[in-house]
Amino acid sequence: MPRPSLQLTAFKTMLQEENYVILDTETTGLKDAQICQIAIIDRHGSVLLNTYVKPTHPIPASATAIHNITNDMVQGAPVWSDVSPLLLPLLTGCDVIAFNAVFDRKMMHKSAEAVGLPKTDWKTLGRWWCAMLAFSEIYGVRDRQRAGFRYQSLQTAARHYGIRVNAAHTALDDCLTTLAVVKAIAAEKQTSDPTDRPHMNS
């Protein structure tokens, strides 16, 4: 079996410390988009934040078809300028796990831009780790288009570990599924010790 990368080894070591939070977002799209739901839980699965967010433009039908969040559902929700300050005490100085950390941070930045907030450098406030990169290495399918492993979905990770998914593509349920996945990763045998502590995001 190939030796795990330093990033994966460090990720597993961080999980053993059991002092992390998990974040997930649902958005109005994939590129020029905003957050319409965000959730954060702790390592026990306790909910620290779970809210819809009203974007500055309507949620397109293509996005609703994925996460079932409608414009009516976010009509009375707080806007990002109200939600963003709530994140600071929850993420600052923490190990923050997201299944696609780069995407979630990008959407946090896009949401701030849309409401005219100054940029918050979330990557420096907390230590971010990408569970998608960690699992993709464990799954082990090489990507022929680039160096590294082919990205795998949260649903694939759940199936791999026999985890039941109750409601895919809601922020809270995806947080809970990610928590179950990272606990399964943590339970796997640690094969080597890290020589440094890189973050699992690209």
Side-chain angles (χ1 to χ4, degrees):
M1 181 178 294
R3 180 182 293 273
S5 67
L6 289 175
Q7 289 89 348
L8 178 56
T9 305
F11 182 73
K12 289 186 174 184
T13 299
M14 180 274 298
L15 294 179
Q16 297 297 334
E17 296 171 1
E18 296 188 335
N19 186 28
Y20 54 80
V21 298
I22 293 177
L23 176 148
D24 189 78
T25 65
E26 299 299 331
T27 67
T28 61
L30 296 177
K31 293 184 179 180
D32 187 18
Q34 300 173 45
I35 291 170
C36 58
Q37 187 182 42
I38 186 169
I40 301 172
I41 62 174
D42 66 16
R43 65 185 179 87
H44 302 293
S46 298
V47 178
L48 305 178
L49 178 70
N50 181 30
T51 183
Y52 290 121
V53 182
K54 184 178 181 180
T56 61
H57 58 71
I59 302 171
S62 57
T64 298
I66 294 172
H67 50 50
N68 294 316
I69 300 173
T70 66
N71 289 294
D72 286 343
M73 293 165 70
V74 301
Q75 185 60 38
V79 296
W80 185 252
S81 55
D82 295 324
V83 174
S84 183
L86 303 178
L87 303 180
L88 290 170
L90 299 178
L91 304 183
T92 299
C94 293
D95 288 303
V96 183
I97 302 173
F99 198 78
N100 187 341
V102 170
F103 177 79
D104 285 318
R105 285 199 311 272
K106 177 182 176 181
M107 291 299 103
M108 292 162 77
H109 292 315
K110 288 288 187 182
S111 296
E113 290 174 5
V115 296
L117 284 181
K119 181 177 180 179
T120 299
D121 194 349
W122 300 104
K123 192 174 181 179
T124 62
L125 290 179
R127 296 172 294 276
W128 286 72
W129 304 81
C130 185
M132 180 183 70
L133 295 183
F135 174 72
S136 296
E137 180 176 340
I138 292 167
Y139 201 68
V141 177
R142 291 283 179 178
D143 191 329
R144 296 180 180 179
Q145 303 300 319
R146 60 177 183 81
F149 297 93
R150 184 179 301 169
Y151 296 158
Q152 302 296 328
S153 70
L154 180 57
Q155 288 68 42
T156 298
R159 287 194 301 269
H160 179 79
Y161 290 113
I163 297 164
R164 181 178 178 180
V165 178
N166 292 321
H169 298 300
T170 70
L172 180 56
D173 282 291
D174 282 359
C175 277
L176 292 169
T177 301
T178 300
L179 176 61
V181 167
V182 300
K183 285 188 172 183
I185 292 173
E188 294 177 333
K189 184 178 179 181
Q190 183 86 319
T191 57
S192 60
D193 295 323
T195 58
D196 60 6
R197 188 177 163 87
H199 300 170
M200 281 295 295
N201 49 252
S202 58

